[in-house]
Amino acid sequence: MNLGRESRLRNVLAEVQTEYDLILLDCPPALGQLTVNALVASRKVLVVFEAEQFALDGLHMLRDTVRGVQSSYNPELRWAGVLVNRWRGTTTNQDVLDELGKNFTEAEIWPYRVPQWTGIGDAVAAATALDQWSGARFRNLAEQYTLWAQDLAGAVR
């Protein structure tokens, strides 16, 4: 039997949470036990969202999971927001984002759009910070990321 498995992560984090300003739990895009444990242990949910139809369907399933966790384990759990990632600016991206805004009212849709640029992946693969990567475009993006991160950190606290 695995009694209390939903609360194990919360219990472990409770022992160390005073040592940190912020603890982020990064979960895979799945609704398994790891995600449930993270939701039970969390105060807020921040979703990184790709503006595609399958992601929209998954976000609606996540909403149901969050509601279940709120009713059974963690009534204080709240939404911090939705951050749009891998933005290409296509008509499909915009249509999905419009539908998200109409049908997902639980969380604020952050105004930031993290672009899908090949160079970002290249910088990550080279273990190089964007502000050290080639081109002013990446340095400007790094500056934007810093501002966005400050806003997001405020929202999840």
Side-chain angles (χ1 to χ4, degrees), residues 39-132:
L39 292 170
V40 171
S42 298
R43 291 192 317 248
K44 295 192 180 176
V45 179
L46 172 66
V47 176
V48 178
F49 176 81
E50 185 175 348
E52 297 292 339
Q53 187 61 46
F54 287 125
L56 185 61
D57 296 342
L59 187 57
H60 291 300
M61 290 188 285
L62 176 61
R63 173 177 49 195
D64 294 341
T65 301
V66 167
R67 287 177 179 164
V69 167
Q70 287 171 321
S71 67
S72 297
Y73 303 104
N74 186 356
E76 287 81 35
L77 183 62
R78 299 290 177 258
W79 291 93
V82 177
L83 176 65
V84 179
N85 189 29
R86 299 181 68 182
W87 181 256
R88 294 180 310 281
T90 65
T91 302
T92 301
N93 280 167
Q94 191 57 56
D95 290 346
V96 169
L97 198 57
D98 291 345
E99 185 177 341
L100 177 68
K102 291 177 192 169
N103 298 313
F104 192 81
T105 58
E106 285 80 357
E108 177 184 358
I109 311 303
W110 285 81
Y112 316 124
R113 305 289 175 261
V114 179
Q116 182 175 341
W117 293 346
T118 304
I120 295 173
D122 294 343
V124 170
T128 303
L130 287 178
D131 61 351
Q132 302 296 314

